[in-house]
Amino acid sequence: MTGFPHSPRLTRAGLVLIEPGSGAVRRIVALQYAAETLSRRLSAQAVEGEGARAHPLRLTGPAVETITFEAELDATDQLEFPDSNAAAVETGLFPALAALESMLHPTVAQLERQGAQRRSGSFEITPVETPLALFVWSRSRVVPVRLAELSITEEFFDPALNPIRARVSLTLRVLSVADLGFDHRGGGLFMAYLQGKEALAARAAAGQLGELGLGGLSA
């Protein structure tokens, strides 16, 4: 909420980690403040090589989309009410930062299983599977992603050197049916995301050739 009594309640953005099979929610990482800017980059997956000249308009799959944004974390408000925020008093922003960092690490249990496989002489080490991450930025944008890169700048610290203010920069790679397949839970969520885009595109105002200085198109 802002400081004005009649201001609208702002929806938070965040990441939801779910079990790919059951869909059970494992963790919700809510961003304290919505980022002021969000950058998206889309690269077409088109026919390449010798076939590109023969099929210049054909696509081989959904565009590769990358989302980048910066968010702020601040424990100052929580520290003003220490009786209600014991965790912030004890560890500052460490828990919130660790929740984001954990998306890039295998768990200790997973690493120990890999270590046991190596010690037993296993020919193939089982790759680690992480929970499915969903990026939620309003009800119109819920999309499966992989956290590709995380940058953290810790700015202020309490007397015990716990960070109490930080800026985090996240780079998310959208996971499409080309990555997950159509039968994966995340594949279905991506299709719903793409369907939402198509519905929004249909609502865009139609332009007129006259606006472009053209009376018509001729071959």
Side-chain angles (χ1 to χ4, degrees), residues 127-151:
V128 170
E129 184 176 15
T130 64
L132 174 64
L134 305 178
F135 176 56
V136 180
W137 187 284
S138 81
R139 299 176 66 177
S140 300
R141 186 179 293 161
V142 180
V143 59
V145 297
R146 179 179 64 240
L147 178 58
E149 187 173 342
L150 173 66
S151 176

Side-chain angles (χ1 to χ4, degrees), residues 20 129 132-134 143-146 173-190:
E129 184 176 15
L132 174 64
L134 305 178
V143 59
V145 297
R146 179 179 64 240
R173 162 73 152 77
V174 173
L175 298 177
S176 73
V177 289
D179 304 299
L180 300 169
F182 287 93
D183 296 330
H184 192 281
R185 182 176 299 274
L189 290 165
F190 173 80

Side-chain angles (χ1 to χ4, degrees), residues 18 20 26 102-106 110 128-133 146:
I18 67 173
R26 290 184 54 174
S102 67
M103 295 176 62
L104 292 169
H105 293 290
Q110 289 171 327
V128 170
E129 184 176 15
T130 64
L132 174 64
R146 179 179 64 240

Side-chain angles (χ1 to χ4, degrees), residues 96-211:
L97 297 175
L100 288 171
E101 293 177 55
S102 67
M103 295 176 62
L104 292 169
H105 293 290
T107 65
V108 170
Q110 289 171 327
L111 290 173
E112 288 177 339
R113 282 196 294 271
Q114 286 188 335
Q117 288 177 330
R118 290 189 177 93
R119 289 192 295 272
S120 67
S122 177
F123 179 75
E124 183 177 355
I125 305 301
T126 304
V128 170
E129 184 176 15
T130 64
L132 174 64
L134 305 178
F135 176 56
V136 180
W137 187 284
S138 81
R139 299 176 66 177
S140 300
R141 186 179 293 161
V142 180
V143 59
V145 297
R146 179 179 64 240
L147 178 58
E149 187 173 342
L150 173 66
S151 176
I152 300 171
T153 302
E154 299 175 5
E155 297 182 326
F156 293 98
F157 303 87
D158 65 14
L161 294 184
N162 296 312
I164 58 175
R165 187 180 298 172
R167 286 183 291 110
V168 294
S169 178
L170 298 91
T171 299
L172 307 174
R173 162 73 152 77
V174 173
L175 298 177
S176 73
V177 289
D179 304 299
L180 300 169
F182 287 93
D183 296 330
H184 192 281
R185 182 176 299 274
L189 290 165
F190 173 80
M191 293 295 284
Y193 170 65
L194 193 59
Q195 189 175 39
K197 285 191 176 187
E198 292 176 354
L200 289 171
R203 297 175 60 181
Q208 303 294 326
L209 287 176
E211 297 174 337

Side-chain angles (χ1 to χ4, degrees), residues 206-218:
Q208 303 294 326
L209 287 176
E211 297 174 337
L212 307 178
L214 299 176
L217 296 175
S218 57

Side-chain angles (χ1 to χ4, degrees), residues 4-120:
F4 298 97
H6 299 295
S7 61
R9 183 177 180 84
L10 298 179
T11 301
R12 291 188 179 187
L15 295 155
V16 180
L17 307 184
I18 67 173
E19 291 289 350
S22 66
V25 176
R26 290 184 54 174
R27 174 177 291 158
I28 298 174
V29 182
L31 300 176
Q32 190 174 9
Y33 304 107
E36 294 183 358
T37 60
L38 181 145
S39 300
R40 297 188 297 122
R41 185 177 71 249
L42 288 85
S43 302
Q45 293 200 75
V47 175
E48 298 181 352
E50 295 182 0
R53 181 171 296 180
H55 305 285
L57 302 181
R58 294 190 180 275
L59 299 174
T60 60
V64 176
E65 182 174 0
T66 303
I67 300 172
T68 304
F69 65 95
E70 189 172 279
E72 294 184 4
L73 302 177
D74 194 333
T76 303
D77 292 343
Q78 299 173 56
L79 295 177
E80 291 182 1
F81 305 96
D83 294 340
S84 304
N85 299 282
V89 173
E90 182 181 356
T91 57
L93 291 174
F94 273 135
L97 297 175
L100 288 171
E101 293 177 55
S102 67
M103 295 176 62
L104 292 169
H105 293 290
T107 65
V108 170
Q110 289 171 327
L111 290 173
E112 288 177 339
R113 282 196 294 271
Q114 286 188 335
Q117 288 177 330
R118 290 189 177 93
R119 289 192 295 272
S120 67

